[in-house]
Amino acid sequence: MNKKLISILPIVACFTATSAIAGEGLFTYIPKSLVQAQIIDGPWTLHEENSFFQHDANGIVPPSSQTAPPYVGTGVPYANYCDKRGVVAKNHGASVMQPFYFPFVRSRLGQLEGYFDYRPRNEQEATVAAISNDWGATWHFMGQALGLNPYCPWDPTDPDNQNVSVKGVQTAYGSDAANAADNGLGHAFVMRVKGKQHIYHLNRADGHIDSDQLVVHDLPRIEALRLLPAYGYVSPLGSGGYPTLEPTAKATQGLHNPDAILGSVELGTSTTILYIDKLGNGDTTLPSNQQCPKTPAFALTNLDAGKARKANHDLITIRVATTTDGVTFTDVGAATGLMDATTVALNGIRYLGSGSLLRLSDGRYGMFFGAGSCLDNDSDGFHFVGYAETTNRVTSAADLLSWKVIYDLDHPLLSTDTVVDDTVTPNRAYPLTAPVVNVHGADVITAAQVAPWVAPTPASPIVTPVGGYNSNFFSGRVYDPQAVYTDEKTITIVFAGYNTPQPSGNLGDYRSIGRVQLRVPAGYFAPY
């Protein structure tokens, strides 16, 4: 934890930092460019400094001795989420940008345009649009749409949000599996095809996630987001019709188990996308030695949660598809060279879950991506941020099928906390080399703001990293890097981070937006 936010100025990360050259030495960290982003106005945030609306959301999982809310001494995860009238609160002025994640960011008309997945745990999910005039350090709220839940938590101390208030009546919510919790429309991606712009979402509802096609809405411009339906479903309650989508929603056709779109490239009369095919429980047909075991004792999720995370059986494939109308897609095939869905090596790339594309000056494409391994057992792929390039110039959709990874788990651009396998001699660190953005203490949220949560301090032989565990706002997760060409020597990356691997680990410091800038050889990437 670090210095407390006291103004609306961008929170520039003046943290202890060291540049490291990894992979082929393409990128170096621009000192003091790491920022934990703020948002001005918009929906409720975990922490707010405005003297009239000051609050700090926080919380840990209640002990088994407390069997029902209200809980005592475990924090208030939904502090000031609703006002005394029972109206969902807003953010007033500038606040740390939490709980926002899975950004989609692009440069438009001299500023950054962003669409963010706003997701207070077990309560809400919506898409928020914002613009930035300082390369992602500060975001100005532009609109919110396609939300999930209009109701207030019944008890703000309840991290599972078991009940909500529906017209003043206590109504089962998290305690009823038929309801939405925070499973709404996520992973927003915006794409223009033949002059018509669309916004795409993943439908997270049980029985629909990673099997349904992506949800599509027309979106002429960023200001039009607020003109889309306020809610993406007819109700967040099973009794009210969840998970029936609101009636204007359309769906893509032809994609394979789509989870998220990584990027798009206009090629002639068609648009080509690179996307994630996620097949739930898809690796159960693999031999047992190609399936992840439980996370090892030295994994950060074990240290934070006090127990191993069970094996994840999702099967990830990165695929290429084309479209001429933004709705119907034709499959081109599975990309190679980015990951290995059968590897159980802790430094392998088993899960690639997010990313963005930039064009290189020589006609090839680069991909900044978030990925992970059996160290995390989570197919969202959040252990590190890496980088890959196509092996060929991209003149057709087929040229997006072949890739080479340059920055991997052992040579990352950014990484979650370093962990060390103390069961082998010599001990083995993950990552093996320091990330390009090598920092500690990069979190403006203070220990007092997230109490009663405290960072783990495991005894020997567990090896504690410099600065301690969970000292960064992305110590537990770092993913969805959105890379933007800034100038001929600079790339700006907007990304998502968690302080702990799971939001329930630290309910006062999860789903943050960060910004960092990297120096590259002059002219390496193509301008817009």
Side-chain angles (χ1 to χ4, degrees):
M1 301 303 170
N2 211 301
K3 185 177 180 182
K4 192 171 182 178
L5 168 65
I6 58 174
S7 75
I8 66 170
L9 295 175
I11 309 171
V12 179
C14 299
F15 312 114
T16 304
T18 304
S19 293
I21 297 178
E24 295 184 357
L26 178 61
F27 302 104
T28 55
Y29 171 56
I30 297 178
K32 299 183 180 181
S33 69
L34 179 63
V35 173
Q36 193 168 357
Q38 292 179 289
I39 187 167
I40 296 175
D41 300 328
W44 174 86
T45 55
L46 296 186
H47 305 276
E48 187 171 346
E49 295 297 317
N50 185 300
S51 59
F52 293 102
F53 305 97
Q54 192 280 331
H55 66 264
D56 290 302
N58 46 39
I60 58 175
V61 176
S64 58
S65 58
Q66 296 191 46
T67 58
Y71 298 107
V72 178
T74 58
V76 186
Y78 304 107
N80 286 19
Y81 187 84
C82 290
D83 65 20
K84 294 179 180 179
R85 301 168 297 163
V87 177
V88 176
K90 302 294 184 183
N91 175 45
H92 307 85
S95 296
V96 179
M97 201 167 179
Q98 298 173 323
F100 297 80
Y101 76 144
F102 273 102
F104 170 79
V105 176
R106 61 187 182 178
S107 180
R108 285 290 184 273
L109 303 175
Q111 62 189 9
L112 295 189
E113 181 179 289
Y115 299 84
F116 302 89
D117 195 333
Y118 172 72
R119 201 178 182 200
R121 182 179 180 269
N122 285 5
E123 166 64 22
Q124 176 66 285
E125 183 162 31
T127 297
V128 167
I131 58 172
S132 175
N133 297 307
D134 58 5
W135 295 105
T138 308
W139 293 90
H140 299 262
F141 175 74
M142 293 291 290
Q144 177 177 331
L146 302 175
L148 179 63
N149 181 15
Y151 306 122
C152 295
W154 186 259
D155 188 326
T157 72
D158 179 8
D160 295 323
N161 205 20
Q162 297 176 56
N163 300 286
V164 293
S165 176
V166 179
K167 297 181 179 179
V169 177
Q170 182 175 341
T171 304
Y173 191 61
S175 57
D176 186 344
N179 297 332
D182 59 2
N183 294 321
L185 299 179
H187 296 192
F189 184 87
V190 178
M191 181 173 69
R192 186 177 297 276
V193 178
K194 291 187 175 178
K196 190 172 184 179
Q197 185 168 269
H198 311 275
I199 187 167
Y200 302 82
H201 288 92
L202 168 72
N203 183 351
R204 291 190 197 276
D206 288 346
H208 298 264
I209 185 172
D210 299 326
S211 57
D212 282 14
Q213 292 291 299
L214 297 178
V215 179
V216 188
H217 289 85
D218 295 337
L219 183 71
R221 59 192 185 282
I222 189 170
E223 295 85 358
L225 183 75
R226 63 176 71 241
L227 302 179
L228 294 181
Y231 296 98
Y233 299 82
V234 296
S235 172
L237 305 175
S239 61
Y242 180 81
T244 303
L245 294 168
E246 57 79 26
T248 70
K250 298 180 290 186
T252 59
Q253 299 176 37
L255 299 177
H256 294 228
N257 310 305
D259 182 79
I261 298 176
L262 296 166
S264 63
V265 179
E266 292 186 15
L267 294 168
T269 59
S270 68
T271 297
T272 300
I273 67 167
L274 204 68
Y275 75 98
I276 297 162
D277 169 353
K278 182 183 289 191
L279 181 61
N281 290 316
D283 80 355
T284 54
T285 60
L286 298 176
S288 59
N289 64 355
Q290 293 180 357
Q291 299 178 30
C292 287
K294 294 187 296 185
T295 51
F298 61 86
L300 184 61
T301 188
N302 294 50
L303 302 180
D304 277 329
K307 59 182 179 181
R309 186 167 174 81
K310 65 181 181 181
N312 181 292
H313 293 292
D314 294 342
L315 188 67
I316 302 295
T317 306
I318 308 303
R319 304 192 71 86
V320 176
T322 61
T323 183
T324 57
D325 63 5
V327 176
T328 301
F329 290 82
T330 300
D331 186 64
V332 176
T336 61
L338 290 168
M339 51 166 288
D340 179 357
T342 68
T343 183
V344 295
L346 297 183
N347 66 336
I349 301 178
R350 185 182 182 94
Y351 307 116
L352 192 157
S354 59
S356 60
L357 303 179
L358 278 185
R359 186 166 63 92
L360 277 61
S361 294
D362 65 5
R364 294 179 299 134
Y365 270 78
M367 182 201 299
F368 296 81
F369 61 84
S373 71
C374 295
L375 263 176
D376 313 292
N377 280 352
D378 195 305
S379 58
D380 280 349
F382 52 66
H383 195 89
F384 75 102
V385 168
Y387 176 75
E389 295 177 347
T390 58
T391 56
N392 302 311
R393 294 179 63 249
V394 176
T395 59
S396 70
D399 293 320
L400 288 167
L401 292 172
S402 179
W403 295 80
K404 176 186 177 183
V405 172
I406 298 175
Y407 288 80
D408 58 14
L409 190 147
D410 273 336
H411 310 88
L413 297 175
L414 292 101
S415 178
T416 53
D417 282 352
T418 297
V419 292
V420 178
D421 184 354
D422 58 280
T423 67
V424 298
T425 303
N427 290 357
R428 210 294 189 178
Y430 297 91
L432 191 62
T433 61
V436 171
V437 184
N438 186 23
V439 303
H440 59 83
D443 197 331
V444 299
I445 304 301
T446 68
Q449 289 176 286
V450 299
W453 180 84
V454 293
T457 53
S460 179
I462 298 293
V463 178
T464 300
V466 174
Y469 286 107
N470 304 101
S471 75
N472 295 330
F473 68 89
F474 55 91
S475 282
R477 293 192 186 195
V478 60
Y479 55 153
D480 202 17
Q482 298 292 295
V484 180
Y485 178 94
T486 308
D487 60 44
E488 67 172 5
K489 295 182 179 181
T490 308
I491 296 299
T492 296
I493 297 177
V494 177
F495 65 96
Y498 288 37
N499 179 250
T500 56
Q502 307 303 320
S504 58
N506 181 358
L507 288 165
D509 198 357
Y510 67 97
R511 294 178 181 145
S512 298
I513 298 298
R515 190 286 309 267
V516 72
Q517 293 180 313
L518 302 178
R519 186 73 67 211
V520 298
Y524 193 82
F525 289 96
Y528 296 104

